[in-house]
Amino acid sequence: MAVVMLGVALPALFLSSVQAAVQPRVGLTAHAADQVLTWTADNSMIAYKSAPSTATAGPATIVFENSAATGNNTGMTHTLTFDTSTPGYNHDVNLNIIASPYDASGGRHEVQVNLRPGKYRFFCAIPGHQMVGELVVTDGGGTDTTAPQVSAQVTGDQDPNGNYVGSATVTISASDTESGVDKVEYSLDNGAFTTYSAPVSINQAGAHTVRYRATDKAGNTSTVGSATFTVVTPPEKDTTPPQVTAQVAGEKDKDGNYLGSATVTISATDSESGVATVEYSLDGQPFAVYTQPLTLGQPGAHTVTYRATDKAGNTSTVGSATFTVVTPQEKDTTPPQVTAQVAGEKDKDGNYLGSATLTISATDSQSGVDKVEYSLDNGAFTTYSAPVSINQAGAHTVRYRATDKAGNTSTVGSATFTVVAPQGEDTTPPQVSARITGNQDWAWNYVDSATVTISATDSESGVDKVEYSLDGQPFAVYTQPLTVGQPGKRTVTYRATDKAGNTSSVGTATFMVVKDTSGTDCPKPGKGNSCKEK
């Protein structure tokens, strides 16, 4: 039974033996055809051993054989696949036959199809194979004696007299309902006919005649058509781009932000050929044609870029207007909420041993918190940006306050506490070590990933924190084993600090991570080889 897959993508890995399956699709016929087209393949990946080049429209039996009988003595798998996407070919037959000398059919497969006039492109879809060809199908119902239909259209900028200013473009169209169009040709001003492949632009001033014709695949050529027109030189070439400006309007707050919305008005002038188009882009979007002022009500920062093009094609330098829209708010008369928390190790009397850390928190549900300040022991208020550590022995009072963006300041709060020196000062840093685990290859490289576990101990004040740095990055707090999966030579440095502030020497762990290549053939053993041999 043939292995036929229609409209299904080939798998990335082809096996030397596949199960037989037939899945009929549109374009196949259920009955046997008198016309038999045979493809064969052997050990070559460059070309099919044999393949038909022509056929007649209608039902056909396609035979694809890739077997020992056709010269395949290596067991190599090939496919016969019809192209269904490349322009210029018929796409109505979805055919994909996978054949191997070792499959259930011994490498020989048949399928019924229905061909129509035109060209089909076929190829072997296995990666690395370069087998490709064309099958030309002619009309089996009779000889095509009807010439193609062909027409031409002239376009361009015209003056009041109908002349084309600067240039004219001639676009030729042809169609043939029988054998199909083979080629289209044109002649400019009684010159020789040449192949037409794209619209033709004529920019030489004067009267012109373009003659055109089309030939179908049966050799029928249309009557020669013609298009006559005149190209004139533009009055004077305009090389100066337009002048373009933008103005942003709306109600502003004290910070210059627009309350509720902002309106952008773009103006452009050109004293020569005149302005053709004005365009704008909002926040990096594609340019669009500007027709009226833009009103932007979405809160946030915005940038409008703009440009203008004149009728001679000159485009101005891109300008930009940047502004911020904010949501109008009712007047905020409520000060922020502010609290403070003191943390640290305490003795039995509630005093903080060695140091105390003060953390201040503030919230404001209206205009938002603008700043937080604190004063230590009746000193001047200073800006609070991070928790404050107080390690000087004695009684302390920290006062704190917060101010919102509307200028409202909270009542001053205070926190009172005492710091005492710890009994017996700890001057010994912690002990810290690292252990690396993971699957290793024969060269002791870690395959796919390595896990670094860092351990620290301190017999006096106790470990306060452990930190690590991966490949020279800033130190970060270590909370759990670190899994490193990026291939290459990796270095983890580490250190620990105890509660008395003593920091250990920096330790280093260096190792190599490689990708798992155990599924591939290994090179000969040697330094730097990291795959496993089969």
Side-chain angles (χ1 to χ4, degrees), residues 151-189:
S151 61
Q153 182 180 15
V154 184
T155 59
D157 186 17
Q158 292 179 276
D159 64 15
N161 298 320
N163 301 315
Y164 290 88
V165 179
S167 68
T169 299
V170 180
T171 302
I172 305 174
S173 302
S175 62
D176 189 276
T177 59
E178 297 186 41
S179 60
V181 176
D182 182 45
K183 63 180 178 180
V184 177
E185 300 169 290
Y186 74 97
S187 163
L188 175 61
D189 297 335

Side-chain angles (χ1 to χ4, degrees), residues 8-293:
V8 179
L10 288 173
L13 179 64
F14 288 89
L15 304 180
S16 62
S17 178
V18 294
Q19 293 183 344
V22 178
Q23 299 177 355
R25 290 291 187 270
V26 175
L28 303 186
T29 61
H31 58 82
D34 295 334
Q35 183 178 204
V36 178
L37 306 175
T38 302
W39 281 257
T40 64
D42 52 18
N43 298 329
S44 173
M45 296 189 299
I46 304 301
Y48 290 97
K49 183 175 182 179
S50 67
S53 60
T54 61
T56 302
T61 298
I62 288 183
V63 177
F64 178 40
E65 183 170 357
N66 175 34
S67 66
T70 63
N72 188 336
N73 55 21
T74 64
M76 183 183 301
T77 298
H78 293 295
T79 80
L80 174 60
T81 305
F82 273 41
D83 189 332
T84 59
S85 62
T86 302
Y89 294 96
N90 293 348
H91 299 150
D92 59 310
V93 175
N94 286 338
L95 179 66
N96 183 34
I97 304 176
I98 304 172
S100 163
Y102 304 123
D103 62 32
S105 298
R108 188 178 190 280
H109 305 275
E110 291 186 10
V111 65
Q112 305 298 318
V113 301
N114 192 42
L115 303 175
R116 65 180 179 85
K119 290 191 296 183
Y120 293 86
R121 180 178 179 271
F122 57 86
F123 62 97
C124 179
I126 295 180
H129 291 205
Q130 304 173 36
M131 303 152 67
V132 66
E134 289 184 353
L135 178 67
V136 177
V137 179
T138 58
D139 188 357
T143 302
D144 175 8
T145 59
T146 304
Q149 298 292 317
V150 62
S151 61
Q153 182 180 15
V154 184
T155 59
D157 186 17
Q158 292 179 276
D159 64 15
N161 298 320
N163 301 315
Y164 290 88
V165 179
S167 68
T169 299
V170 180
T171 302
I172 305 174
S173 302
S175 62
D176 189 276
T177 59
E178 297 186 41
S179 60
V181 176
D182 182 45
K183 63 180 178 180
V184 177
E185 300 169 290
Y186 74 97
S187 163
L188 175 61
D189 297 335
N190 292 317
F193 275 94
T194 187
T195 299
Y196 172 88
S197 59
V200 181
S201 179
I202 298 97
N203 54 23
Q204 184 176 359
H208 297 283
T209 297
V210 172
R211 295 180 300 143
Y212 50 88
R213 65 189 183 193
T215 302
D216 63 20
K217 293 176 182 177
N220 303 300
T221 300
S222 67
T223 302
V224 174
S226 65
T228 301
F229 54 91
T230 299
V231 175
V232 296
T233 303
E236 284 187 11
K237 187 169 180 61
D238 175 7
T239 60
T240 304
Q243 299 291 318
V244 60
T245 59
Q247 183 178 13
V248 185
E251 183 183 359
K252 296 183 181 181
D253 63 15
K254 61 183 180 63
D255 297 320
N257 301 316
Y258 289 88
L259 295 171
S261 66
T263 299
V264 182
T265 302
I266 305 174
S267 303
T269 59
D270 189 274
S271 59
E272 297 185 43
S273 59
V275 175
T277 59
V278 178
E279 299 170 290
Y280 74 96
S281 166
L282 174 61
D283 297 333
Q285 296 178 12
F287 274 92
V289 175
Y290 171 86
T291 57
Q292 60 184 5

Side-chain angles (χ1 to χ4, degrees), residues 394-468:
H396 298 284
T397 297
V398 174
R399 295 181 300 144
Y400 50 89
R401 66 190 182 192
T403 303
D404 62 22
K405 294 177 181 178
N408 303 301
T409 300
S410 67
T411 302
V412 175
S414 65
T416 300
F417 52 91
T418 299
V419 175
V420 296
Q423 298 293 324
E425 186 173 356
D426 177 11
T427 60
T428 304
Q431 298 292 317
V432 63
S433 62
R435 180 168 62 93
I436 306 173
T437 58
N439 294 326
Q440 291 181 280
D441 62 15
W442 64 273
W444 305 108
N445 299 313
Y446 289 89
V447 179
D448 282 343
S449 67
T451 299
V452 182
T453 303
I454 305 173
S455 303
T457 60
D458 188 277
S459 61
E460 296 186 36
S461 61
V463 176
D464 180 37
K465 63 180 178 180
V466 178
E467 300 169 287
Y468 75 96

